[in-house]
Amino acid sequence: MKNIFFFICFIFISTYTFSQWTWINPIPQGNPLYSICFTDSNTGFAVGNTGTIIKTIDGGVTWTILSTGTSNNLNAVFFTSANTGYAVGSGGIIIKTNDNGITWTNQVSGTTWGLIAVTFTDSNTGFAVGGNGTILKTINAGNSWTIIPSGTTENLTSIYFTDANTGYIVANYKIYKTINSGSSWSLLTSFTSYMFNSIYFTSPDTGYLAGYHGIILKTVNAGNTWTALSCLIDTPLYSIRFVNSNIGFAIGMGGRILKTIDAGTSWSLLSTGYYSSLKSIFFINSNTGYVVSDNGTILKTIDTGNSWFQISIGTSNSLSDIIFLSPNLGYSVGEQGTILKTTNGITWSTLFSGTLNTLYSICFPTLDTGYTVGWNEIILKTVDAGNTWTQLACGTSNINGLYSVYFTNSTTGYAVGDAGKIIRTYNGGINWTALPSGTNKDLLSINFTDSNTGYAVGVDGIILKTVNAGDSWTLLSSGTSIFLLSVYFLNSDTGFVSGGGGIILKTINAGNSWTALTSGTTNQLYSIYFTDENNGFIVGQWGTILKTINSGLTWSTSSVPTMNGLLSVYFTDNTTGYTVGDNGTILKTTNGGTTFYEENQNFNSEISFYPNPSNDKITISNNKTSTLTVVSVFNIQGKQIIEKYFQNQNTIEIDVSKLVNGIYLIKIQTDNNVETKKLIIK
């Protein structure tokens, strides 16, 4: 008994492991989504990159990020009942749930080839198909899987069964058919000019194929012959699905949705207002349907596809730069002229920039006055904290892009860009003058240590330095020809540069010499930020976040819930940081990006929850109404079990009835507060 008591006490005072970075934008998340399905009118699941599975129980109004225990990309999801479902993906991963998605367990697939599609003909019999002609079959609800010869090494992209025995598989230009429940497959037909992604049947005889170049084919004789239907577009179609025998939809690249109401005889192109690639479509009835995309966007229709609206929250435009002026006041810029602003570090509002050019860099020399630069020589200025922006003339020509901007005081600023261009203003951007850089190499980042001393880096390993406020620039020896993407100085002597191939350079003598550090990655590293002389972060390609606690001597990799490229990083203090990137990604850490997160002992708590212990539901009460509240529940191993989002609610109810007995950690993040508490289930 004494040992047990000691163990419990240790749990109470020790730290808890879980993902260091959480989604702030988009909500619920911003990973690419590839497949969606619903088990009833309210309950649905979508899967995607980095082991992502999200769930809704209210028809898509809110979504929960589920813990899957895998970082493999998930390409398809299929449920055989309200509780039992399967997801398949890269590396031959197959995971299964028996409790409506609360927990997922790995199945032994017997293959390492990526799996692209999954379907079941009954609760026990299922199939998964994928790369290198892989066909897997189970007859015991996934407890074991058997490899079925396909006769091809082509990728198998879609599977559909019209009854327990008869099924079809798409393999690029070919279609295979089985009439014996998948025990054997024969080549049904082969095409020379058509390449397909999706197959769907509305009856045992009538089926449809959709693929590249907007092609849609139809059969009325169980696949023996196929007829090309009228084609409206020349871009790929990724998924086709019918509501009934007459009404059907095909979706694809560029946000395109095609609709037929006459069994494919004619098709109309619907307007969605979105331009990402749409990957999967699912209708729960004749009126209500959902679409997911490769930037994480979720669309919904309630009028049989005539109109679509976004039910995921936040921009999906890629974000290039982020800056904070105070612990809660921050800005981010990116694609399509996107400028975002936050006053609480949680919710972000879109500001009107007046341009559709991509914005790459933002700088605020004062609380009210800021500048952002981007493509097509764009320079924008605000003097009212971002409420309005005015376009400035850059004063030079032949600059396709300005990639970085830096102000040394309220009126003196610099911007760098294509072909070695460096421009300077002494009067707050009213006039800009081109400076002699001595190079025609693209310059991608600029940083100053004082009003006179600055550095610019760019392609081919170029590092430039000025000691006279930009009047002249000296080429420093970097020791590399790899392109350099970011420069950051801690003080007048110590600086860091990062770039392609995972390169990190450090100087301790004001750039006179540079030493290559070991990053442990070959991914491109886009942005550097240090919170003090020892603690620093670098973000980059494929969701890379590196951290050092010894001024760059060694770097460790942080756990990140995405493989989206991360383009900029900024910390407001030693523990609170943000990173932004592709698909509108904004991630936040409140524990310094470390592996462990300690229980918050906040004795002046604004948040309470009850009952505790519990075995049914808990009620969370906040003294202050929060625009957005994120509730996450973790087990002792640090595995996230529940994540839910609520808007404008100060009383929240969470169902914990399906959690097994034990000790959990509940994290409650509001607009201005983060609290972590113990939850006991018994």
Side-chain angles (χ1 to χ4, degrees), residues 446-507:
I446 189 169
N447 185 256
F448 274 73
T449 59
D450 57 45
S451 59
N452 289 309
T453 308
Y455 301 82
V457 301
V459 301
D460 292 340
I462 194 165
I463 303 178
L464 302 180
K465 178 180 180 179
T466 181
V467 293
N468 53 15
D471 289 339
S472 62
W473 295 80
T474 302
L475 178 64
L476 304 179
S477 176
S478 67
T480 183
S481 59
I482 296 175
F483 56 92
L484 304 176
L485 296 164
S486 180
V487 56
Y488 186 94
F489 268 75
L490 292 170
N491 51 51
S492 59
D493 292 320
T494 305
F496 296 84
V497 171
S498 68
I503 192 169
I504 305 174
L505 304 179
K506 179 180 180 180
T507 182

Side-chain angles (χ1 to χ4, degrees), residues 83-405:
N83 289 317
T84 304
Y86 304 81
V88 302
S90 62
I93 187 79
I94 302 177
I95 56 176
K96 178 183 178 181
T97 180
N98 284 316
D99 54 13
N100 204 11
I102 294 177
T103 59
W104 294 80
T105 57
N106 281 330
Q107 309 290 293
V108 178
S109 69
T111 184
T112 57
W113 289 102
L115 299 175
I116 301 172
V118 60
T119 190
F120 276 71
T121 57
D122 58 44
S123 60
N124 290 309
T125 308
F127 301 85
V129 300
N132 197 45
T134 300
I135 303 176
L136 304 180
K137 179 180 180 179
T138 181
I139 56 173
N140 54 15
N143 291 327
S144 62
W145 294 81
T146 303
I147 297 177
I148 305 295
S150 65
T152 182
T153 57
E154 295 181 353
N155 291 339
L156 307 180
T157 57
S158 182
I159 184 170
Y160 194 93
F161 273 76
T162 57
D163 58 43
N165 292 309
T166 308
Y168 302 82
I169 290 176
V170 173
N172 292 336
Y173 297 94
K174 300 174 182 178
I175 305 171
Y176 292 83
K177 182 177 181 179
T178 182
I179 56 174
N180 56 11
S181 190
S183 296
S184 62
W185 295 80
S186 58
L187 179 62
L188 181 65
T189 187
S190 180
F191 301 93
T192 57
S193 57
Y194 302 141
M195 189 172 178
F196 300 101
N197 295 312
S198 182
I199 189 168
Y200 191 90
F201 276 75
T202 58
S203 74
D205 292 322
T206 305
Y208 300 82
L209 287 166
Y212 286 87
H213 302 294
I215 190 65
I216 301 176
L217 301 186
K218 179 180 180 179
T219 181
V220 293
N221 54 15
N224 291 323
T225 59
W226 295 83
T227 303
L229 304 178
S230 177
C231 183
L232 292 176
I233 61 176
D234 191 41
T235 51
L237 295 171
Y238 297 118
S239 180
I240 189 166
R241 192 174 186 94
F242 275 70
V243 177
N244 54 42
S245 59
N246 289 310
I247 300 176
F249 299 85
I251 63 173
M253 184 179 288
R256 290 175 170 84
I257 301 179
L258 303 179
K259 178 181 178 180
T260 180
I261 58 174
D262 53 15
T265 302
S266 61
W267 295 80
S268 57
L269 180 61
L270 306 180
S271 175
T272 64
Y274 300 92
Y275 302 98
S276 58
S277 291
L278 306 179
K279 292 296 188 177
S280 179
I281 184 169
F282 193 98
F283 272 79
I284 59 175
N285 55 46
S286 60
N287 294 316
T288 305
Y290 301 81
V291 167
V292 294
S293 79
D294 67 355
N295 66 5
T297 298
I298 308 171
L299 304 180
K300 181 178 180 179
T301 180
I302 55 175
D303 58 5
T304 320
N306 293 324
S307 61
W308 296 82
F309 56 93
Q310 184 174 328
I311 57 176
S312 48
I313 302 170
T315 184
S316 58
N317 290 333
S318 292
L319 301 173
S320 307
D321 196 16
I322 187 170
I323 187 173
F324 272 77
L325 311 185
S326 70
N328 291 315
L329 177 60
Y331 297 83
S332 183
V333 297
E335 280 184 333
Q336 298 290 308
T338 298
I339 304 179
L340 304 180
K341 179 179 180 179
T342 183
T343 56
N344 57 23
I346 300 292
T347 56
W348 295 74
S349 58
T350 301
L351 306 178
F352 179 71
S353 68
T355 183
L356 293 177
N357 289 305
T358 295
L359 301 173
Y360 295 116
S361 179
I362 188 168
C363 175
F364 271 76
T366 71
L367 281 176
D368 293 324
T369 304
Y371 302 82
T372 180
V373 300
W375 193 245
N376 282 335
E377 307 174 11
I378 193 78
I379 304 176
L380 303 179
K381 178 181 180 179
T382 181
V383 294
D384 55 11
N387 292 324
T388 59
W389 294 82
T390 302
Q391 184 169 341
L392 306 177
C394 74
T396 186
S397 59
N398 300 320
I399 301 179
N400 290 322
L402 293 171
Y403 301 118
S404 183
V405 60

